[in-house]
Amino acid sequence: MAETYENALGRTAAIPVVAPDSEAESAALARFQEFLSAMSADGIRADIREVYAQNVFFNDTLKTVAGVDALEEYLLETVQRTSFVRVRFDDVVRSGRDYYLRWFMEYQSDRINGGAVVSSIGMSQIRFDESGKVVLHQDY
């Protein structure tokens, strides 16, 4: 059974985090945004372990996965079903150990919306560990 959001919040509440207002924090946010901005199978395979921690909790409201290997598999399945996925980040706010990133996403799939481009808006809550890797990613 996948870890729940509440359990992930508790598990990640006490871990050391990347230093706020540091170069490491800026770099971690940039890696995260770049990774999701134009997802591709090659990009996922090459970079996922630089962005996400081994024990990451991930929920995009469609699926919950635990661990970077499961996340890699899920994201590869996702991009294989689409012609493209693009995410534009419009705003980032930090509150304690949490970061909230407001985004606009476009994707295209022959299986959805008659093949027309689909647009969506949302927000991701993420938490970094002290190395700047994402340990919690919850989409809204």
Side-chain angles (χ1 to χ4, degrees), residues 6-137:
E6 291 80 11
N7 287 345
L9 283 177
R11 176 178 58 80
T12 60
I15 65 168
V17 297
V18 68
D21 301 318
S22 67
E23 287 184 31
E25 176 192 60
S26 295
L29 284 165
R31 269 193 313 274
F32 176 79
Q33 291 177 57
E34 185 177 316
F35 180 77
L36 292 177
S37 289
M39 280 198 297
S40 69
D42 289 342
I44 291 166
R45 287 185 194 101
D47 298 327
I48 194 164
R49 284 167 183 77
E50 297 302 315
V51 176
Y52 289 95
Q54 184 63 36
N55 63 343
V56 65
F57 168 86
F58 175 93
N59 182 304
D60 67 0
T61 72
L62 298 174
K63 187 165 184 168
T64 301
V65 297
V68 72
D69 294 334
L71 178 57
E72 180 179 26
E73 182 179 324
Y74 174 61
L75 293 179
L76 287 171
E77 289 172 6
T78 300
V79 298
Q80 289 169 355
R81 286 187 237 128
T82 60
S83 301
F84 70 87
V85 178
R86 287 189 296 257
V87 179
R88 181 188 75 224
F89 291 92
D90 295 324
D91 195 24
V92 178
V93 175
R94 179 174 46 86
S95 175
R97 66 180 47 241
D98 295 307
Y99 298 82
Y100 298 91
L101 296 92
R102 187 171 49 86
W103 46 259
F104 174 82
M105 179 174 59
E106 291 182 310
Y107 61 94
Q108 185 176 31
S109 172
D110 292 339
R111 301 176 184 183
I112 301 170
N113 198 29
V117 174
V118 177
S119 299
S120 177
I121 57 170
M123 186 172 296
S124 296
Q125 173 191 8
I126 61 172
R127 285 184 175 174
F128 295 113
D129 64 14
E130 68 184 333
S131 70
K133 293 185 180 182
V134 176
V135 293
L136 180 139
H137 177 158

